[in-house]
Amino acid sequence: MKRYFGRKLLIYVITFFLAVTIDWLIPRLMPGDPIQNMLARAALNANAAERMYTYYTHAFQLDLPVWQQYLSFWNALLHGDLGISTYLFPTPVVDIIKAAVPFDIFLLLPAILLSWWAGNKFGAYAARTKRLDNTVLPIAYLLTATPYMWLGILLAWVFGIILGWLPIAGAYSYTMGTDLSWAFVGSVLKHWILPFLSLFLVGFGGWAIGMRNMIIYELEADYSHYLEALGAPRKLIRKYAFRNAILPQLSGLALQLGVIVAGALVTEVVFSYPGIGYLILSAIQNQDYFLVQGCFLFIIIGVLLANFLIDIAFVIVDPRTRKGMVGE
Amino acid sequence: MTRATKKKRNEFLYFAMRNNKLKIGAVIILFFLVLAAVGTLLTKNDPETFAGPMSSPPSAEFWFGTTFFGQDVFSQFVIGLRATFLVGAVGGGLATLIGMLVGFIGGYRGGVIDEGLNVMTNIVLVIPTFALLLIISAYFEVRGLFMESIFIGLTAWPWAARAIRAQTLSLRSREFVDLARISGMKPLRIVFSEIAPNMMSYLVMAFILQFGGAILIAATLDFIGLGPTQGFSLGIMMQYAVLWGALPLGSWWWFIPPGAAIATIVGALYFMNVGLDEVFNPKLRET
Amino acid sequence: MSLRVEDLTVYYQTLRGDVRALESATFSLADGEIMGLAGESGCGKSTLSNSLIRLAPPMKHIKGRVILDDQELPIADLHAMNEYRFTEISVVPQYAMNAMNPTRKIGKMAEELLRSRGIDARKALPELERRLDLVELDHDVLKMYPIEMSGGMKQRMVMVLSTLMDPSLLLADEITSALDVSTQKAVAKMLVGFRDREIVKSIVVITHDMSILYQIADGIMIMYAGQLAEKASTETIIHSPRHPYTKLLITSLPKVGVKHDEVRLKGIPGNPPLLLDPPTGCRFRERCPLAFEPCMDVPPFVEIEPNHFVACWKEGGANA
């Protein structure tokens, strides 16, 4: 088990190190004077522009040797200082991200977990059940092949425009105060449903198909044949197959995180949902490097954290990792 | 070719012809391929010019209606289809190629080289490559379709590398590989003449999945405006549709075809993949 | 009479037609008997064993009956057979090394298997532990996962699991072939122990290893190309076989006491026929040194002396 976590942690540390380096490179690789470029976009009055130019020259430390710039970037990072945004001057990037993160957690956590859970359950149920296998699974294929934003657009069009049941932009009604009233909670939920549904449905299709295929493999495994030879009830055989099929599905979840991040990003764009995805796109469009850096860093940390949690879950469900029989 | 392998091929062919998933998937892909190839001949409308009436629904003149600016949606659509297939072929192909390279070398060589490649694969696997793609794309003021495909290929390979490595590892210790090794065959030749042909089914399936994956990534990039800066793609069509109010205007003919085409093409690819799996793996065939 | 098989015929359905893997098998098994079932690979011995417990596609029941303890088994009905599997007839499969769920503790699996037959695992625990003692497994194995066990341990554990319900008949398919020589002997002896303690009434041991049968089997049945060739007591088969195939098989074996790898097995010339389109008549005809005119017809499996059955025109067949 030590070896298992040791290897994983090594990968995470290297990845984090690499990601921070890429992050640091972002403004420095841009052609021309990054600060000029950046400020040119953020149409400001002369006074503010002056102030900002002084601030950013100092913040980027372009006058120092490269290795010193790099070290102080790490230093600032470890002190939780991600600089100040141009696009939302003069709010610190950390504060902007802090405001966006709750929306991401609120949207992504249920969407990822529920689609994974429901998809696996349904896929396991549909496998080798001819009627479902032939009717519902093609729909699942279509769902998992659907671009996230298109499903979002469709849902917005049907439920938002045609039926007019649900709002299609923002995280809550902007005419409302953000105090914790029932009306506010209701508004938040209403705005949440469609983006959640886009993410949920695409994920659901993928997991259902993955599970269906895995279960069929497992039902052909020796231990399944043994149970059949002993006349064990179908329910028990399926239960065992499910237990074994869920393992690759769990590592699949870790592998899918990147795709889910991309999906969340465009879904937030379609529904103007104020999470990190929406933010990073605005930051890119406005060439707000500090904000891009901050968002990228946050996404990396989030993905690494999620990977780590999945590793822990894996150890809990797979005795082989626990007993140190498997290298990775 | 020995008689046994020939017989095996014939058997695969027999099951391939009988497999509905494979057939349905292939027919759909073929349909869209033909449409992409000859589509521009079916319409005399230019995708860029503002020829027609604004936001008009499908008609005999404009099969898929017109955009907010009066452009022909159908001619944009068939050009977008071409872009989609190009991204899939180039991006998916490159990803499979890199995956093969990394997988073969790591799996066959083993040792430190394998360890190193493994760490590299895992890192690229963990990094949210889409965020990386965003930033890379944002660097370039002018972006082409080909360039986009290359970037996608460069970030999408780890999955294939992993699968191919595992397969190579299991084939490496087989008798026929040992035989080749003893008879003094060079490692590179062993990989390409002994190992690769024996996992052809795997390679084909890996390519199909990467093909579909590349299409989806490209569509996502295009949609947020970080795709090619020139021309059309299905993702760009969706971007413009949303940007220019196709939703409130109810111009469904503008945003439904591109997304539906992507979903159908990628879905058909996945469907074919499961069909192929059943053809190559007798245990999965329905009884 | 514990088991009676009458005219059992089972084919495999393939693309190129039916593979006639088991043709008109008729034999019986006495209470308390350990019968060895031997023959080259592909001779149909596993088909015979599989059709007794789980006759699933692509296997297809053509004809014949199986009677166990005066009850006819619904062998052609996958579902109805569940009632008899495990309780009346059970199997230690060829793939015993992988027969246990890799992600379940052994004890948990035993518990769930018992519960599927309505038995409270807690009450059955003392008996389970007694049987672990019998196969010399530590009680702690119940807390282990299969990957923590050696091959021999897994083999013995599966033997315990398969016999938990005290079945009347146990099919032991190649139980020693995955083990090293020293473990082979021990496992074979334990199998005898199961019969001696009346945990199971009778056992069919399927193997290509005649030396194991010589040690533990009361009787031996030889199969060739999907047909029964000869059945008699172990002594008779080893020392005075009558079927030409058995004779060749026995003489090709190394002498007792001589290690396998020191002697090159003197194989039987020729190959078994393909069962997709087998020759008519005696299927051993083409390789048989004694073949003559009547061999164009299928020889009946007749009792030439008490408890000695042979399917050969040169032997009992000529008198029939």
Side-chain angles (χ1 to χ4, degrees):
Chain A
M1 185 153 77
K2 248 188 188 157
R3 209 184 134 201
Y4 172 80
F5 273 118
R7 277 188 76 98
K8 291 280 184 188
L9 274 174
L10 177 75
I11 302 265
Y12 297 157
V13 168
I14 299 177
T15 308
F16 184 67
F17 183 79
L18 218 81
V20 170
T21 309
I22 293 171
D23 211 23
W24 172 77
L25 281 173
I26 290 172
R28 287 167 177 83
L29 280 183
M30 297 299 273
D33 180 348
I35 304 169
Q36 237 358 307
N37 278 349
M38 188 161 86
L39 295 188
R41 284 292 187 106
L44 295 154
N45 61 52
N47 189 14
E50 177 80 37
R51 246 176 66 211
M52 283 170 76
Y53 195 86
T54 334
Y55 168 77
Y56 283 108
T57 315
H58 180 70
F60 278 118
Q61 299 178 311
L62 291 176
D63 43 342
L64 295 178
V66 173
W67 62 272
Q68 225 167 340
Q69 294 178 28
Y70 184 63
L71 283 187
S72 52
F73 181 70
W74 269 101
N75 187 37
L77 188 82
L78 296 177
H79 286 89
D81 176 13
L82 297 175
I84 288 174
S85 160
T86 39
Y87 157 61
L88 295 167
F89 194 79
T91 327
V93 167
V94 176
D95 292 350
I96 301 175
I97 290 179
K98 265 190 199 156
V101 167
F103 290 110
D104 281 297
I105 295 177
F106 181 52
L107 179 63
L108 280 178
L109 215 57
I112 294 174
L113 294 180
L114 284 178
S115 67
W116 190 78
W117 178 80
N120 279 322
K121 282 280 170 204
F122 180 76
Y125 181 69
R128 291 270 151 100
T129 311
K130 225 171 195 150
R131 200 167 36 83
L132 282 177
D133 212 39
N134 290 336
T135 54
V136 186
L137 274 167
I139 297 174
Y141 276 99
L142 217 55
L143 275 181
T144 185
T146 300
Y148 284 92
M149 61 278 183
W150 188 60
L151 191 61
I153 296 170
L154 277 190
L155 290 174
W157 180 52
V158 174
F159 293 100
I161 307 284
I162 298 181
L163 298 171
W165 290 351
L166 293 163
I168 57 170
Y172 51 85
S173 172
Y174 291 115
T175 56
M176 215 176 268
T178 53
D179 51 327
L180 257 182
S181 63
W182 283 117
F184 176 70
V185 172
S187 163
V188 166
L189 280 178
K190 261 185 164 176
H191 283 79
W192 172 83
I193 291 177
L194 289 181
F196 165 79
L197 220 57
S198 318
L199 288 169
F200 174 84
L201 285 174
V202 177
F204 175 85
W207 298 123
I209 286 160
M211 186 43 124
R212 180 244 173 211
N213 294 344
M214 284 319 302
I215 282 271
I216 286 180
Y217 269 107
E218 294 298 332
L219 286 178
E220 291 299 329
D222 284 338
Y223 68 86
S224 301
H225 286 309
Y226 181 54
L227 287 178
E228 282 168 348
L230 295 187
R234 186 182 146 94
K235 227 177 111 185
L236 185 65
I237 299 172
R238 292 232 156 201
K239 187 174 138 189
Y240 276 22
F242 185 80
R243 247 190 105 84
N244 287 289
I246 203 79
L247 299 174
Q249 289 289 87
L250 196 56
S251 39
L253 182 59
L255 296 182
Q256 279 294 310
L257 282 173
V259 176
I260 296 171
V261 166
L265 200 149
V266 281
T267 305
E268 287 178 7
V269 170
V270 169
F271 293 100
S272 310
Y273 203 79
I276 296 285
Y278 187 64
L279 207 57
I280 196 172
L281 194 69
S282 319
I284 286 176
Q285 280 163 352
N286 292 287
Q287 300 207 350
D288 183 344
Y289 302 130
F290 274 120
L291 195 51
V292 174
Q293 278 182 332
C295 291
F296 183 66
L297 202 70
F298 180 81
I299 292 173
I300 296 278
I301 292 174
V303 168
L304 288 181
L305 209 66
N307 263 288
F308 189 64
L309 289 177
I310 291 172
D311 288 340
I312 292 174
F314 212 87
V315 167
I316 293 171
V317 285
D318 188 356
R320 284 166 293 193
T321 48
R322 211 158 47 235
K323 304 293 177 187
M325 307 299 241
V326 180
E328 11 168 2
Chain B
M1 204 187 316
T2 62
R3 249 183 71 205
T5 55
K6 208 169 194 173
K7 216 174 205 175
K8 215 169 168 188
R9 293 253 160 110
N10 288 339
E11 186 182 316
F12 285 153
L13 203 65
Y14 175 88
F15 277 107
M17 297 310 292
R18 267 173 50 127
N19 192 293
N20 280 331
K21 294 194 181 82
L22 188 58
K23 278 194 292 192
I24 294 172
V27 165
I28 292 174
I29 298 295
L30 210 66
F31 169 78
F32 279 105
L33 260 176
V34 170
L35 194 60
V38 304
T40 40
L41 304 176
L42 299 176
T43 167
K44 41 187 200 314
N45 299 314
D46 184 83
E48 310 253 4
T49 49
F50 313 122
M54 284 158 61
S55 302
S56 79
S59 61
E61 164 85 22
F62 302 100
W63 293 0
F64 283 5
T66 62
T67 69
F68 179 71
F69 312 103
Q71 296 153 306
D72 180 32
V73 175
F74 181 76
S75 58
Q76 289 188 0
F77 176 76
V78 288
I79 288 177
L81 272 183
R82 283 184 193 171
T84 294
F85 280 113
L86 184 83
V87 167
V90 176
L94 182 65
T96 314
L97 223 59
I98 301 177
M100 276 165 67
L101 207 68
V102 173
F104 281 146
I105 295 177
Y108 188 77
R109 269 273 133 98
V112 188
I113 296 175
D114 184 33
E115 283 284 315
L117 289 176
N118 216 351
V119 170
M120 193 171 93
T121 310
N122 280 320
I123 289 172
V124 185
L125 214 53
V126 172
I127 280 192
T129 45
F130 188 76
L132 210 59
L133 275 176
L134 281 189
I135 291 164
I136 298 173
S137 306
Y139 276 151
F140 296 92
E141 300 277 317
V142 181
R143 294 176 297 264
L145 190 59
F146 195 71
M147 189 164 96
E148 181 184 37
S149 313
I150 299 287
F151 284 141
I152 290 173
L154 286 176
T155 49
W157 56 269
W159 174 86
R162 258 195 167 190
I164 292 168
R165 174 182 173 270
Q167 274 297 306
T168 310
L169 219 54
S170 77
L171 283 175
R172 187 175 65 172
S173 48
R174 294 276 183 83
E175 272 169 46
F176 60 87
V177 178
D178 280 338
L179 201 68
R181 202 177 300 138
I182 294 165
S183 65
M185 208 187 258
K186 292 227 166 64
L188 208 66
R189 275 221 33 217
I190 296 181
V191 164
F192 284 103
S193 65
E194 302 292 326
I195 293 182
N198 273 291
M199 47 191 284
M200 216 51 211
S201 59
Y202 250 78
L203 298 179
V204 170
M205 294 200 295
F207 175 62
I208 290 182
L209 286 182
Q210 296 282 17
F211 196 108
I215 291 177
L216 285 179
I217 298 172
T220 312
L221 268 179
D222 294 358
F223 177 73
I224 52 179
L226 291 171
T229 38
Q230 285 281 308
F232 284 100
S233 77
L234 298 179
I236 292 175
M237 287 175 73
M238 284 189 267
Q239 183 206 2
Y240 285 167
V242 170
L243 221 54
W244 296 100
L247 276 177
L249 289 173
S251 309
W252 52 265
W253 53 86
W254 192 0
F255 58 80
I256 286 200
I262 293 176
T264 317
I265 290 171
V266 178
L269 285 170
Y270 290 171
F271 215 53
M272 270 172 75
N273 212 47
V274 176
L276 276 178
D277 206 9
E278 288 173 2
V279 169
F280 290 125
N281 192 342
K283 280 185 170 180
L284 303 181
R285 288 173 198 153
E286 278 171 36
T287 44
Chain C
M1 206 59 56
S2 164
L3 174 76
R4 217 164 74 234
V5 174
E6 291 171 2
D7 201 25
L8 185 61
T9 302
V10 173
Y11 293 167
Y12 279 91
Q13 295 187 299
T14 72
L15 282 179
R16 279 174 232 103
D18 287 350
V19 173
R20 304 161 83 159
L22 183 64
E23 204 86 67
S24 298
T26 302
F27 65 93
S28 57
L29 198 60
D31 283 351
E33 184 177 353
I34 295 183
M35 186 187 77
L37 180 55
E40 294 161 284
S41 48
C43 70
K45 53 189 195 296
S46 285
T47 308
L48 173 54
S49 145
N50 287 340
S51 32
L52 292 182
I53 186 129
R54 191 160 186 280
L55 207 160
M59 283 185 359
K60 192 176 139 204
H61 178 242
I62 303 297
K63 60 178 178 179
R65 303 197 303 157
V66 175
I67 293 123
L68 183 66
D69 298 328
D70 302 320
Q71 257 184 313
E72 181 169 351
L73 298 180
I75 55 162
D77 185 339
L78 261 184
H79 190 71
M81 265 302 281
N82 271 347
E83 199 187 321
Y84 300 93
R85 294 187 185 119
F86 198 25
T87 56
E88 294 299 323
I89 178 167
S90 192
V91 63
V92 179
Q94 213 168 348
Y95 50 81
M97 296 299 120
N98 306 311
M100 291 179 288
N101 184 350
T103 55
R104 259 289 192 251
K105 283 183 181 162
I106 310 287
K108 191 89 184 155
M109 182 173 169
E111 189 187 314
E112 281 168 325
L113 273 175
L114 285 172
R115 203 186 308 139
S116 75
R117 300 289 171 170
I119 290 172
D120 185 350
R122 253 174 315 159
K123 280 188 197 131
L125 188 64
E127 179 61 20
L128 179 57
E129 289 183 340
R130 209 174 64 82
R131 295 197 180 176
L132 290 176
D133 294 338
L134 194 65
V135 296
E136 292 164 23
L137 280 175
D138 201 281
H139 295 180
D140 281 344
V141 292
L142 295 179
K143 295 194 200 86
M144 286 185 177
Y145 290 97
I147 46 146
E148 298 173 78
M149 304 169 90
S150 71
M153 288 167 83
K154 280 189 242 181
Q155 184 63 267
R156 282 176 281 159
M157 192 63 228
V158 171
M159 274 163 59
V160 171
L161 286 176
S162 293
T163 51
L164 276 177
M165 301 294 297
D166 299 348
S168 171
L169 175 68
L170 180 67
L171 307 166
D173 198 351
E174 301 285 5
I175 54 163
T176 57
S177 51
L179 306 175
D180 59 82
V181 183
S182 58
T183 332
Q184 276 181 5
K185 235 181 215 165
V187 166
K189 288 238 172 69
M190 285 163 189
L191 202 58
V192 179
F194 275 80
R195 191 265 319 261
D196 293 347
R197 273 158 224 262
E198 290 178 1
I199 292 170
V200 296
K201 221 193 272 175
S202 43
I203 305 176
V204 174
V205 183
I206 297 121
T207 181
H208 58 264
D209 183 357
M210 295 290 283
S211 61
I212 286 291
L213 292 185
Y214 188 66
Q215 288 169 36
I216 63 168
D218 303 314
I220 295 179
M221 185 157 79
I222 306 287
M223 282 186 76
Y224 182 80
Q227 292 172 330
L228 301 184
E230 185 165 11
K231 178 181 185 292
S233 71
T234 303
E235 280 300 308
T236 314
I237 289 283
I238 301 285
H239 297 296
S240 45
R242 300 287 287 271
H243 194 285
Y245 175 66
T246 318
K247 286 179 189 166
L248 285 168
L249 195 68
I250 299 296
T251 49
S252 74
L253 287 177
K255 295 279 171 294
V256 178
V258 182
K259 276 190 196 153
H260 274 265
D261 43 354
E262 290 171 10
V263 183
R264 251 183 83 92
L265 291 182
K266 182 169 45 139
I268 306 167
N271 289 310
L274 294 174
L275 298 182
L276 188 60
D277 187 18
T280 51
C282 175
R283 291 185 183 173
F284 188 55
R285 197 177 68 222
E286 311 221 313
R287 296 166 83 186
C288 183
L290 310 175
F292 68 130
E293 198 58 22
C295 300
M296 297 302 285
D297 292 318
V298 179
F301 194 55
V302 291
E303 195 164 17
I304 51 164
E305 48 191 67
N307 259 326
H308 191 166
F309 298 80
V310 181
C312 179
W313 291 114
K314 283 278 185 190
E315 295 297 335
N319 315 331

